[in-house]
Amino acid sequence: MKILAVANQKGGVGKTTTAVNLAAALAELDIKTLLLDLDPQANATSSLGLEPTQGSLYSVLTGETTLYDQIRETTFGPLWVVPAELDLAGCEIEIARDEQPLERLANAITTLPGQLEPDYVIFDCPPSLGVLMTNALAAADAVLVPLQCEYFALEGLSKIAHVIQHVGASRQKGPLELEGILLTMYDVRTNLSQQVVSDVREHFGEKVFDTIIPRSVRISEAPSFGMPVLNHDPEGVGAASYRAFTRELLARHGRPVPA
């Protein structure tokens, strides 16, 4: 089981879009995937056609239910979701009172029944540096950072890198790996996008994925239809990009990529 946290403290960088479409692309390859929506705004939940309902990670993190109790099926192959709802914001206060506030999510993952263990667990983290994100980083094997091809996104990259290092130094699982940086919202028409790509590749080298996600109307509108862009516009450039990225990720993990 590989656990990935899709995280960036800056909003609007394609974080939820990446988490949802990565999960959908893995499921499309018949890879069992569990997506955990850790954002109280529940965008990942609605992007997969689910309504925020009574039941979320809040009750898991506060010890009222198990993680298995909150898993919901989707219509997108072997893809399951633990949804979010607004009450998840209350975890910031509840968990902060605990003596080990960083390990609650990590402990919840260990309770999954063995016969239901997914191949991939993906965390869609909120755009903040609060308790929910740090819990995700404490439980993850590695962090995937979506980075918008704009100037201000570069400024936040050093901050998330510092957080990854800090959490990795204090968690029970040991150092936290940077899985890689995925460049998103690339606009081939602008010099700025090209410059951001050049700068990020210069500083982070092989940690930057070869695949770049373009700016696309279809990607942006897919959540309003309650589905990933892979289903909304399966033959479009957005779907092709996320499929290519998913195969690149699997290749990095040494996993056979189905034809």
Side-chain angles (χ1 to χ4, degrees):
M1 180 171 64
K2 184 74 172 178
I3 305 175
L4 295 177
V6 182
N8 192 325
Q9 81 283 355
K10 187 178 185 302
V13 299
K15 175 182 54 60
T16 295
T17 299
T18 295
V20 167
N21 284 287
L22 170 59
L26 289 168
E28 190 177 66
L29 294 171
D30 204 32
I31 296 172
K32 293 189 295 183
T33 305
L34 175 63
L35 175 64
L36 277 65
D37 191 349
L38 281 158
D39 190 341
Q41 298 178 83
N43 290 333
T45 300
S46 59
S47 293
L48 290 170
L50 300 176
E51 293 290 336
T53 58
Q54 292 300 316
S56 69
L57 275 170
Y58 176 84
S59 60
V60 177
L61 295 175
T62 56
E64 298 172 22
T65 61
T66 67
L67 183 62
Y68 175 73
D69 292 332
Q70 301 303 328
I71 294 176
R72 303 289 181 265
E73 293 183 347
T74 72
T75 59
F76 306 106
L79 171 57
W80 294 269
V81 177
V82 176
E85 57 183 346
L86 192 58
D87 69 354
L88 197 55
C91 281
E92 297 285 346
I93 299 174
E94 292 284 343
I95 299 176
R97 298 171 181 168
D98 195 78
E99 292 183 359
Q100 291 185 315
L102 294 182
E103 302 296 334
R104 291 210 179 183
L105 184 56
N107 294 335
I109 294 289
T110 64
T111 66
L112 284 174
Q115 68 273 24
L116 295 174
E117 186 174 293
D119 297 302
Y120 276 85
V121 176
I122 299 172
F123 301 145
D124 179 35
C125 299
S128 69
L129 296 175
V131 171
L132 291 171
M133 181 191 280
T134 51
N135 256 261
L137 298 185
D141 297 318
V143 184
L144 170 64
V145 180
L147 184 72
Q148 186 180 6
C149 293
E150 293 188 0
Y151 173 74
F152 287 116
L154 279 173
E155 291 188 332
L157 194 54
S158 61
K159 294 180 182 178
I160 188 66
H162 175 74
V163 172
I164 291 171
Q165 183 179 16
H166 178 72
V167 173
S170 59
R171 68 181 194 152
Q172 294 180 1
K173 293 181 72 170
L176 180 60
E177 179 186 354
L178 173 62
E179 180 66 43
I181 298 168
L182 177 66
L183 295 162
T184 64
M185 302 183 189
Y186 178 78
D187 190 340
V188 70
R189 300 168 299 177
T190 67
N191 291 331
L192 177 59
S193 283
Q194 297 174 37
Q195 187 62 50
V196 169
V197 171
S198 177
D199 290 347
V200 175
R201 292 199 188 283
E202 180 181 349
H203 286 90
F204 289 91
E206 294 182 354
K207 284 296 183 180
V208 184
F209 285 93
D210 292 334
T211 305
I212 298 177
I213 308 301
R215 187 176 293 278
S216 164
V217 173
R218 296 301 186 196
I219 292 177
S220 299
E221 70 184 15
S224 66
F225 290 88
M227 61 180 69
V229 72
L230 277 72
N231 299 83
H232 174 58
D233 185 31
E235 304 302 323
V237 65
S241 297
Y242 272 111
R243 288 190 181 104
F245 160 62
T246 301
R247 291 173 179 272
E248 187 179 350
L249 180 72
L250 290 172
R252 284 192 178 192
H253 295 164
R255 295 181 61 103
V257 180

